[in-house]
Amino acid sequence: MKITFCGAAETVTGSCHLVETNGLKILLDCGLFQGRHEVEERNWADFPFDPATIDYVLLSHAHLDHVGRIPLLVKKGFQGEVITTPPTAAIAKVILMDSAHLQEEEAAYHARKAQRRGEEARPPLYDVGDALDALEVFHRHIPYEKPFALEDGVEVVFHDAGHVLGSATVELHTEGKTLLFSGDLGNRHRPIVRDPATPPDADVVLIESTYGNRTHRTIDDSVTELKDAVHTVIGRGGNLLIPSFALERTQEILYELFLMWQHKELPSCKIFLDSPLAIATTRIFAKFPGYFDDEGKKVFAHNPDPFNFPPLRYTQTTEESKRINNLPEGNIIIAGSGMCTGGRIVHHLRHNLWREESGVIFVGYQAQGTLGRQIVEGAEQVHVLGEPVAVRAQIWTVNGFSAHADQPILLDWLAHTNAGQIFLVHGEEESLVGFQEAIQQKIGKKANIAKWQQTVEV
Ligand SMILES: [Zn+2]
């Protein structure tokens, strides 16, 4: 069996690994590169394989950096099948359509700029038509723990990765060996999703390393910090911005705000969910209560809809979004993108970042090169929509809501696999090196840092 690391190798985005076995070519994920310019440019390069020769994509979950290049794969000739879990298939639909719209908008923006300079414009990476074509190849939707065959002698099982709704660890049996691809692994004791499932034994393990060198504060500490931020900012009449990933983090934050409201701990304010994408993904959550943890099931069973409580407003249109900034302050605004690289949060940052009474609470990972990372790292001034803006608002970084496992959880998960060979993927350099050292010290095993475009024989 051969594995080629085609993305999320020596970086966190662009997850894509090619497995060649038994005459089959299988991709584990086919995600978009995001973040720094040179990383994003990789989206435009040819795939290091011929898409027409790929038989299957086994999709771990619907985050854009795992699913986002499937329309491009189809556009370039892929005729195989994408297989994933039922919630991931549902969420991938809205994520890919949104991504195609963004690609079209970005291309139109660059085309205007290019026209002014008399230069040739670049077409979108893919458009809405390509995304629709891609959705046609999502065939089998397979629940957790139900083995299925790709063909004779090649069998797959999805396990709950506990990262986002429907997220899977992929177990692949072939050539008498077991290959385990962790996908993104979740933190423990989070609201709504279950903890990552205990993994099976495996000969070869590809494990994510996002927080391979860190230990998170507990979720309880993070809920306390969220409450503190809400009371501090709303109490002094400011706006509290929550840049949030549309999938999972948004629903967890809404869920915590709902519990605060239910326990009469929420100060008088309005909460705006200002993201059409997050509104769409929130609706999908309500369709899959069978995938929630026990506490989540209980809360949903006893309440008509925790994602629909009196202070909460869903702002679908751009006009409604703009009106938020004309309202008196004292609101909570949840909007994407999670790393402030685009989307409506950028406009809210321009209106609020310079106000001392306002606040921003970061609840997710901020990649290198993003506006979110600059703010988190304490920049006194940042550029928002091309204009300099002073950072005077109070900034909170709460990593207990992280959808990613930290080092102790990753080590524990890895130890359970009794892995023969270990490859570290999906991490920035510091995390990869820190995690590699920790594996050597705590489990006594040698782990390899997967190199981008490297092929290994296992
Ligand atoms: Zn993810």
Side-chain angles (χ1 to χ4, degrees):
M1 168 167 42
K2 276 200 299 190
I3 307 173
T4 306
F5 305 105
C6 308
E10 302 174 275
T11 183
V12 283
T13 62
S15 181
C16 186
H17 310 293
L18 170 64
V19 180
E20 294 173 82
T21 179
N22 225 358
L24 291 178
K25 287 190 179 178
I26 302 162
L27 287 186
L28 303 170
D29 290 345
C30 191
L32 205 65
F33 287 104
Q34 296 172 289
R36 278 179 296 146
H37 177 74
E38 24 338 340
V39 172
E40 293 202 344
E41 278 302 299
R42 291 180 190 173
N43 291 318
W44 297 87
D46 282 336
F47 286 105
F49 45 79
D50 176 3
T53 64
I54 302 294
D55 302 286
Y56 296 98
V57 178
L58 301 175
L59 176 62
S60 69
H61 65 290
H63 272 150
L64 202 55
D65 63 320
H66 294 257
V67 71
R69 272 190 300 164
I70 292 181
L72 193 62
L73 190 75
V74 174
K75 184 178 165 178
K76 294 196 169 183
F78 172 69
Q79 291 181 333
E81 181 187 9
V82 177
I83 310 179
T84 191
T85 64
T88 297
I91 298 164
K93 250 185 220 171
V94 294
I95 297 279
L96 290 182
M97 291 306 287
D98 182 75
S99 173
H101 279 295
L102 289 179
Q103 297 291 346
E104 287 184 4
E105 274 172 24
E106 205 172 300
Y109 170 76
H110 286 293
R112 286 194 295 274
K113 263 177 53 181
Q115 199 181 20
R116 280 201 294 275
R117 290 200 207 114
E119 291 168 6
E120 188 109 355
R122 183 155 81 168
L125 191 62
Y126 53 83
D127 60 21
V128 167
D130 299 320
L132 286 169
D133 288 344
L135 296 173
E136 296 281 311
V137 301
F138 280 67
H139 293 154
R140 278 178 277 179
H141 306 165
I142 314 268
Y144 298 134
E145 309 302 331
K146 296 255 185 297
F148 60 96
L150 298 183
E151 65 176 49
D152 272 358
V154 185
E155 201 175 74
V156 181
V157 190
F158 292 142
H159 304 279
D160 196 338
H163 168 63
V164 296
L165 191 75
S167 64
T169 288
V170 181
E171 180 184 358
L172 178 70
H173 296 280
T174 178
E175 301 177 32
K177 288 184 186 154
T178 302
L179 167 72
L180 198 61
F181 170 48
S182 69
D184 287 2
L185 290 170
N187 206 349
R188 286 182 188 150
H189 311 302
R190 284 164 59 222
I192 312 177
V193 286
R194 297 183 201 133
D195 290 353
T198 304
D201 281 2
D203 300 290
V204 184
V205 174
L206 272 53
I207 182 169
E208 71 118 321
S209 319
T210 318
Y211 287 113
N213 62 340
R214 281 203 246 171
T215 304
H216 295 322
R217 277 166 283 178
T218 66
I219 181 81
D220 291 345
D221 289 347
S222 299
V223 171
T224 306
E225 284 176 277
L226 172 68
K227 286 181 183 170
D228 174 50
V230 168
H231 284 284
T232 305
V233 175
I234 304 300
R236 66 181 176 223
N239 286 328
L240 179 64
L241 310 188
I242 312 182
S244 188
F245 296 97
L247 171 56
E248 199 67 39
R249 211 69 43 79
T250 292
Q251 290 77 28
E252 289 178 11
I253 297 294
L254 287 180
Y255 180 89
E256 295 299 342
L257 292 171
F258 164 76
L259 293 179
M260 280 176 77
W261 172 80
Q262 197 183 39
H263 299 148
K264 307 209 179 337
E265 291 172 350
L266 189 72
S268 170
C269 66
K270 291 195 181 77
I271 302 165
F272 293 96
L273 180 56
D274 189 25
S275 158
L277 181 61
I279 294 169
T281 49
T282 303
R283 291 208 174 109
I284 293 171
F285 263 68
K287 289 185 190 161
F288 291 98
Y291 283 76
F292 297 173
D293 65 2
D294 290 343
E295 189 204 315
K297 276 183 192 155
K298 241 186 262 165
V299 169
F300 273 76
H302 291 108
N303 296 281
D305 187 357
F307 294 141
N308 201 353
F309 54 105
L312 179 61
R313 308 275 186 284
Y314 287 79
T315 45
Q316 188 73 252
T317 67
T318 315
E319 287 66 36
E320 288 172 311
S321 172
K322 283 182 183 159
R323 277 205 290 274
I324 299 173
N325 291 311
N326 300 330
L327 293 173
E329 290 179 71
N331 304 306
I332 299 172
I333 305 165
I334 306 168
S337 71
M339 297 193 259
C340 309
T341 49
R344 293 180 180 176
I345 194 68
V346 178
H347 296 272
H348 297 302
L349 286 168
R350 188 173 65 171
H351 283 275
N352 288 284
L353 217 40
W354 54 274
R355 294 178 201 243
E356 275 177 9
E357 70 274 22
S358 288
V360 187
I361 177 162
F362 287 92
V363 291
Y365 185 76
Q366 305 298 313
Q368 275 175 5
T370 60
L371 176 58
R373 179 76 160 246
Q374 289 173 39
I375 300 172
V376 162
E377 288 186 340
E380 287 177 9
Q381 183 182 293
V382 290
H383 275 79
V384 183
L385 297 165
E387 286 172 24
V389 179
V391 183
R392 294 205 197 95
Q394 193 171 351
I395 309 297
W396 282 265
T397 308
V398 177
N399 65 17
F401 282 111
S402 174
H404 286 274
D406 61 2
Q407 190 188 77
I409 299 175
L410 289 171
L411 285 172
D412 187 49
W413 188 94
L414 188 60
H416 273 102
T417 66
N418 289 314
Q421 278 178 287
I422 303 165
F423 294 94
L424 307 185
V425 297
H426 203 285
E428 287 174 2
E429 196 186 343
E430 268 180 26
S431 312
L432 291 163
V433 172
F435 191 29
Q436 187 182 40
E437 285 167 5
I439 293 168
Q440 182 68 56
Q441 281 170 13
K442 307 241 166 87
I443 311 184
K445 284 191 173 160
K446 181 183 172 298
N448 306 287
I449 294 175
K451 300 268 178 280
W452 184 44
Q453 297 195 330
Q454 171 195 23
T455 300
V456 292
E457 188 90 42
V458 294

